Amino acid sequence: MLARAAREIAPGMVVNLGIGLPTKVINHLSADFEVCLHTENGMSGIGPSLSPERADRNLIDAGGAYVSTVPGSAFFDSVTSFAMVRSGRLDLTMLGAFEVAANGDLANWKIPGKFSPGVGGGIELAQKARRVVVLTTHTDRAGNPKLKSECVLPLTARACVARIFTDMAVIDVGPNGFELVETAEGVTPTDVAAATDAPLVLPEMTPPTF
Amino acid sequence: MRLPDKQCTMESAVARVKDGDTVMVGGFGVPGTPMTLIHALVAHGARDLTLIKNDANEPGMGIDHLLRNGQVSRLITTHLGLNSDAIALMNAGEIEVEFNAQGMLAERIRAGGSGIGAVLSDVGLGTELARGKQVVEMAGTSYLVETALRADVALIHADRADPFGNLAYVATARNFNPVMAMAADCVIAEVETVLPLGGLPADTVHTPGVFVDHVVELEALSEEYAVVQR
């Protein structure tokens, strides 16, 4: 799933990888792949993560992980960082999700009564990146579908998600809702439809696997 | 001509904070958080504070000391995810928390520091963060009115300074520090190294000393500045 999501990143892009699963996509990019990774706390050109022994105390990503520079990295303040986000300089962001709706609505920051740490930079990434893709398990820990006709939880942004990568499938958000693009090896379109709480448009041919 | 010297002791700088003040605190996680000024503010004891800070640090670190000491009644922030203490205080109603989209918090502070009353933005339209905010229509588009934020005091951490208060930051310790240093009536900077006047080349100044009121050189860096072992 992470390796498949990594292929979504085209050479030359400016990309923000959200906290959690998306951050791990970095491990599937080769060292000479041409890409500029951005992090909200004020850096472009993120290099590999560092162990605490090798870390620089002043160099973290927005999730608090210790990271490094690459030749050509830049540091900037929070105003500049979000000017980049809101003005459309991010080609792609990969975000986690609690729920995604068939129209592309995203809920990923609050579960009332249970989890309300605040939205951080999530709204601006979801609303303003040129392309928003979601990386998530297909169902939550209790087995409930995360892909739904409508979100129940408070929204992060409306109609923002273009594509969803899960452990079961790659799904696009199209004019007719969720469209199955690929399945994970050993997973059938019927399995994916059964784990999705909204109509799933199936391709005419058997979809490729990843 | 010679530029004024703004160096003073930690205690005399923090004495500027009064009960009920609004205090901006720089930092995003550990980098850029003025840990020593925060401890001085705990010792000073000012209460009923409104803090403006991106995050609430982690339990036992940074502004968590002020929260746990009962000195904060209101927190304007973006994310508390790494501080379970802060979330517990919020859920218990001990502190009032106002969440902002991160870039809009920066932009509201920028407005406050730039003599601007508010900014217009569509960030968060259609979400619960838009609740209670005025909406205006301009050229067929809806925008939220994001009001400017200013503070009585800003607590800043910088890597290098000169006695006039010209500041320079390192790596991701820059974050909210430059913009907060523009948006308070009294700006106090703790710095790791004070260089003589002229020691900070003019082209390398991130925050011009005109914005800064007090410069305090740190004698040593406490453990709170170190790499966090998770």
Side-chain angles (χ1 to χ4, degrees), chain A residues 1 21 95-97 134-138 146-147 164-167:
Chain A
M1 165 188 174
L21 271 181
L95 301 174
V134 160
L135 263 71
T136 179
T137 54
H138 206 91
K146 288 185 162 194
L147 280 60
I164 306 153
F165 296 92
T166 77
D167 48 331

Side-chain angles (χ1 to χ4, degrees), chain A residues 57-58 66 110 117 127-128, chain B residues 78 80 122 128 172 192 228:
Chain A
R57 64 186 168 89
N58 287 312
Y66 290 95
K110 184 174 184 181
Q127 196 176 329
K128 298 294 187 180
Chain B
T78 77
L80 308 178
D122 64 353
E128 66 176 55
T172 57
E192 298 189 19
V228 182

